[in-house]
Amino acid sequence: MSCRGAQQSPPDWPPAPGALRPSPFPHPVLHALHGLARALLFPAYWALDQLLGYWAPATRAGSLERLSAAARAGAALLLLLISLPLALPGLLLWLPLQAWRRPFCYQPPPQSWAPPPPWRPRAEPARCFGFLSANLCLLPDGLARFSNLPHSQRRAQAVGAALLAGLRSSRYGTTDCSPPQAGTPRGVLAAAVPAGLDFVCLQEVFDLRAARHLVRRLAPNLGPVLYDVGAFGLRAGPHLKLLGSGLLLASRFPLLRAAFRSFPNGRREDALASKGLLSAQAQLGILDGLRIVGFLHCTHLHAPREDGPVRCKQLALLLDWAEQFEAESRQDGEAVAFSVLLGDLNFDNCSRGDAREQKHQLFSRFQDPCRLGLRREQPWALGTLLSTRVLHHSEASSPEMLRRALEQEEGRRLYLAGGPAGSRPAEPWRGRRLDYILYRGVPGAPLSPEVEQVIFSTALAGLTDHLAVGLRLRVSAPS
């Protein structure tokens, strides 16, 4: 990649497929063995998942329903015992294979796919790029039930349909930018998926079957997808990682390079998950015969509320990893349009218990368009964590009805999850904003990003316990 050949020739558009191969394994035999190992493990995995669902808190369950659930749990336990002789060789095969596995799968778009026209700032001084981040709680079904969100496969299909409807409702490859607004960025609350999406980062897509539902929707209609992200198996510590990171990234623009780094300090309920930082480089256009690129960093930080020092360590790691990835990926002379960090950071900017994270250097390295300062938010900023106890109320299950409810103080207090017991809520009540899209440019670079709009979306109402967050970023070249 360091050899440019004839330097006067501009980069190809779209660029030729590079180092990103679809299989996470370097050889087809390893890929086939990994598929066999997963097939041997699946019956025991499915049975254990059903058993976990039996222990999840039931809502409005009558005696007949409880009896039916107990019968299903008994059948699952029997299946688990029967499948153990298959699961043991499957596990012994699966564990050593992880040493050869790249920590993500890559789904290229179909042959008929065409990216948006390349951005050429000499002819088009500004272009807007749309980003979406959403935590979907697509855990194995038994675990998802503890968040009052059963039926992960059905929800994955519904989420895919909602995202697809949003992608189809906007003009394909739209590049229009409205004139820059005076003053601070404007935030809106919307019932639809934001229009003009170019990059989608999803969290808690832990269930592989659910991930494949989403990939089948996103790859043909948006573009390349990175999924099944995580460093599995036995890791330094030693730690056993049975779940991935839950991250999924889809792009409308060609992806040139990607990497994943796993946090080494997960504990409690996050101990078995391989959370970390997924970084990707996308080609956006051509300037003076050289590439214009953008960097995307997707993450999901440690969940337990009381573990602030763990999150702070993870923030320090991801900042270092993001810098390393960008330095390794950048070529001489190419222009960087933006570096964007998306994901569920599991802390807010209002709770005093999150003071360590709120003061982190993250906010001096990236810009948070919703933040005015320490524990000071934009008046339009909104909490993104929903209260699990009311997820299935009719109002909370309808995108339009939930949007209208959250416009009112009473609705926000009912449907947005609050701080820990005993904390004094902010006035007016905004909830806990855990989901972030942060951005930065490159000082002295010819391209400069600025926020055009922030969107809080209820489009996934009833399908997850978070609001989706959108960002429309305007990148301009000097006139």
Side-chain angles (χ1 to χ4, degrees):
M1 291 177 68
S2 60
C3 292
R4 296 185 185 278
Q7 209 164 13
Q8 69 274 14
S9 300
D12 293 335
W13 188 265
L20 292 176
R21 63 181 186 274
S23 173
F25 289 95
H27 195 280
V29 172
L30 295 174
H31 186 94
L33 288 173
H34 190 254
L36 174 62
R38 277 184 160 168
L40 292 172
L41 286 166
F42 183 78
Y45 162 83
W46 186 87
L48 184 59
D49 187 33
Q50 299 302 305
L51 280 174
L52 284 172
Y54 174 74
W55 294 107
T59 55
R60 301 186 300 275
S63 56
L64 188 59
E65 290 171 320
R66 286 195 293 269
L67 184 62
S68 175
R72 290 196 300 271
L77 178 60
L78 181 60
L79 176 61
L80 178 62
L81 295 173
I82 293 172
S83 61
L84 284 178
L86 288 176
L88 182 57
L91 182 63
L92 293 176
L93 178 60
W94 180 82
L95 281 171
L97 286 170
Q98 304 314 305
W100 287 281
R101 184 184 182 274
R102 182 190 60 191
F104 57 85
C105 293
Y106 171 69
Q107 177 61 53
Q111 293 288 335
S112 58
W113 174 78
W119 180 30
R120 301 180 188 271
R122 300 301 181 206
E124 182 187 353
R127 182 175 283 198
C128 286
F129 299 92
F131 304 82
L132 181 79
S133 178
N135 182 319
L136 300 183
C137 197
L138 289 175
L139 294 150
D141 194 63
L143 292 175
R145 288 175 183 271
F146 284 85
S147 296
N148 198 19
L149 284 166
H151 311 304
S152 291
Q153 306 309 310
R154 291 186 215 166
R155 287 190 296 112
Q157 292 177 339
V159 168
L163 292 174
L164 185 57
L167 292 170
R168 285 177 173 169
S169 67
S170 62
R171 287 176 297 162
Y172 179 80
T174 183
T175 60
D176 293 345
C177 272
S178 60
Q181 299 172 9
T184 55
R186 186 166 58 95
V188 298
L189 177 62
V193 171
L197 288 180
D198 297 299
F199 306 100
V200 175
C201 173
L202 306 176
Q203 303 93 52
E204 290 201 6
V205 188
F206 286 109
D207 187 274
L208 184 56
R209 292 173 296 163
R212 287 171 174 155
H213 285 309
L214 295 171
V215 170
R216 284 195 291 269
R217 295 279 191 170
L218 291 171
N221 295 287
L222 192 65
V225 182
L226 303 175
Y227 70 103
D228 196 14
V229 180
F232 296 91
L234 287 171
R235 297 289 152 181
H239 301 290
L240 178 62
K241 300 296 183 181
L242 297 177
L243 293 173
S245 67
L247 299 173
L248 183 150
L249 173 65
S251 169
R252 196 187 289 276
F253 287 86
L255 295 178
L256 302 174
R257 188 170 181 267
F260 175 78
R261 301 283 293 272
S262 180
F263 296 134
N265 59 346
R267 49 187 288 197
R268 303 181 198 267
E269 58 259 45
D270 276 1
L272 295 178
S274 177
K275 288 185 175 180
L277 180 72
L278 173 65
S279 297
Q281 181 192 40
Q283 184 171 342
L284 311 174
I286 302 167
L287 175 62
D288 296 335
L290 297 170
R291 302 186 314 195
I292 300 173
V293 300
F295 290 103
L296 301 128
H297 304 287
C298 309
T299 195
H300 185 190
L301 295 191
H302 192 66
R305 184 75 186 272
E306 61 273 22
D307 285 343
V310 174
R311 279 187 292 276
C312 284
K313 175 64 174 174
Q314 292 178 349
L315 287 171
L317 286 171
L318 72 83
L319 284 176
D320 289 344
W321 293 342
E323 297 285 357
Q324 291 173 21
F325 178 82
E326 293 182 17
E328 293 167 359
S329 304
R330 209 173 288 148
Q331 293 183 356
D332 292 340
E334 72 182 9
V336 178
F338 54 74
S339 175
V340 174
L341 174 66
L342 313 91
D344 179 352
L345 302 188
N346 268 315
F347 67 87
D348 60 48
N349 191 35
C350 60
S351 303
R352 295 192 179 275
D354 293 339
R356 288 187 188 89
E357 299 96 309
Q358 293 160 1
K359 297 174 183 176
H360 198 273
Q361 62 174 327
L362 170 77
F363 298 106
S364 63
R365 307 267 283 276
F366 284 86
Q367 298 182 59
D368 180 356
C370 299
R371 175 183 166 116
L372 291 173
L374 181 62
R375 286 196 285 276
R376 292 172 52 236
E377 295 276 86
Q378 294 280 6
W380 42 258
L382 192 63
T384 58
L385 181 64
L386 298 171
S387 174
T388 57
R389 61 184 176 81
V390 293
L391 285 178
H392 301 295
H393 286 194
S394 58
E395 199 170 39
S397 299
S398 161
E400 181 57 36
M401 292 172 70
L402 182 59
R403 182 195 66 80
R404 289 200 298 263
L406 294 180
E407 288 179 337
Q408 308 299 321
E409 178 85 4
E410 182 180 353
R412 291 194 294 270
R413 290 187 179 276
L414 176 61
Y415 292 116
L416 295 181
S423 67
R424 188 174 68 181
E427 297 291 347
W429 174 241
R430 294 191 183 99
R432 300 191 65 216
R433 184 171 64 90
L434 305 185
D435 301 270
Y436 294 74
I437 304 181
L438 314 180
Y439 74 98
R440 67 182 178 192
V442 175
L447 303 176
S448 175
E450 60 180 328
V451 172
E452 188 174 84
Q453 193 173 60
V454 178
I455 306 100
F456 297 90
S457 172
T458 61
L460 305 181
L463 302 175
T464 180
D465 55 355
H466 288 245
L467 298 183
V469 179
L471 174 69
R472 191 160 173 81
L473 201 62
R474 175 190 177 94
V475 185
S476 55
S479 56

